[in-house]
Amino acid sequence: MSWRVVNHDELLEATGASPYVDVAVPADAVAIVGEHGWAAMHPWRPSGHWGGAALVAPGAPPEAESQALAELLALAPDTPLEWFSTSAGRQLAAPPGFLVDGSGRWDFLSTRVDVPPAGAVFPGDLELLELDDATDAAELEAFGRAHNTDFEGFPGHGFSVLWLGLRDASSALVAIGGMHLLATGTPHLSGIVVDRAQRGRGIGRALTVALTRRALDRCGVSTLGVFSSNAPAISLYHSLGYRTHHRFHTRVLSAL
């Protein structure tokens, strides 16, 4: 297999204007294309946290993604790579000097479509508030972990530019959700959690609508990631106009 180095515009053209490349892959990405597909390494957030992906045709050789990753690392050997993704069901061997230290399967979605006004109606006993990523970090983390063991909002890390929360009459949190920025500046929703006892009231839908509108007002596009196994959440996001672009199998990489 052979790969050639491309810039961002060439990568976008080679991928048929992939929404992931368009909104999540910044101009300083290290990118290659070949006869079977494409691959890139890039920062995920403005602060770094490098990751990447190799997406190839279904009939590509099983080692295609592993070879693509090796090629990328040869082009940028000092890249602080933390994770790398393939399509679901594809193989990936740890490159020399790295250990696969965990994995996850998630879907990447985005929308540019405004959500229906009716979807933003909150139950009358709840108040929508902005919360602070630093001063409210402990409360956000405790609530998120209590109601979702897979909570990945990362409050207090400086990743979020916005947190919205819903409190009941006693000021107790019943739902939270955050907005990060990708390295491209694109808003990325994260950490949306509803109190288990309050689910089924439309709270998650209304909170997602509020966050999506903030993202669309900021940038004209909103993105999010969701575990591939979370069918109810994916159905909700689709009902609000989000579309799934890729189903990733991501491996966490640790340098030896």
Side-chain angles (χ1 to χ4, degrees):
M1 289 178 288
S2 62
W3 301 90
R4 63 182 177 89
V5 178
V6 294
N7 61 31
H8 189 273
D9 288 343
E10 292 169 328
L11 180 64
L12 195 60
E13 181 179 0
T15 60
S18 160
Y20 179 82
V21 173
D22 185 30
V23 301
V25 179
D28 58 349
V30 182
I32 55 178
V33 299
E35 65 267 34
H36 298 295
W38 63 272
M41 294 192 310
H42 59 87
W44 180 248
R45 298 184 175 93
S47 55
H49 300 278
W50 277 68
L55 296 180
V56 301
E63 68 275 11
E65 292 91 337
S66 301
Q67 291 187 5
L69 176 53
E71 182 79 12
L72 291 170
L73 288 170
L75 290 167
D78 297 325
T79 300
L81 188 66
E82 298 179 15
W83 49 266
F84 199 78
S85 302
T86 68
S87 294
R90 295 289 301 181
Q91 301 178 15
L92 184 72
F98 287 88
L99 172 71
V100 174
D101 193 26
S103 69
R105 291 168 172 81
W106 62 286
D107 291 8
F108 179 82
L109 297 82
S110 77
T111 185
R112 295 181 183 271
V113 180
D114 193 16
V115 286
V121 176
F122 294 94
D125 58 337
L126 301 179
E127 182 181 6
L128 180 66
L129 301 168
E130 289 193 15
L131 302 173
D132 187 84
D133 184 64
T135 58
D136 296 317
E139 185 181 18
L140 288 164
E141 182 69 21
F143 178 85
R145 290 290 170 199
H147 298 283
N148 184 352
T149 56
D150 295 320
F151 176 63
E152 291 189 342
F154 305 106
H157 287 71
F159 298 157
S160 295
V161 295
L162 173 70
W163 279 103
L164 295 180
L166 285 163
R167 295 188 185 276
D168 62 17
S170 65
S171 295
L173 283 174
V174 298
I176 60 172
M179 181 195 300
H180 296 184
L181 294 182
L182 303 181
T184 55
T186 300
H188 188 75
L189 307 191
S190 179
I192 301 173
V193 179
V194 178
D195 186 318
R196 289 188 176 92
Q198 298 278 1
R199 293 172 188 174
R201 302 178 63 196
I203 295 171
R205 179 183 181 87
L207 181 58
T208 303
V209 166
L211 288 164
T212 300
R213 285 184 165 169
R214 296 289 189 100
L216 293 173
D217 287 345
R218 183 183 184 110
C219 198
V221 62
S222 180
T223 69
L224 58 84
V226 58
F227 287 112
S228 301
S229 59
N230 194 344
I234 294 170
S235 178
L236 166 64
Y237 299 141
H238 285 176
S239 75
L240 295 176
Y242 283 87
R243 292 294 174 262
T244 299
H245 303 302
H246 296 294
R247 177 155 285 185
F248 287 122
H249 182 184
T250 297
R251 283 73 160 189
V252 178
L253 299 175
S254 297
L256 295 175

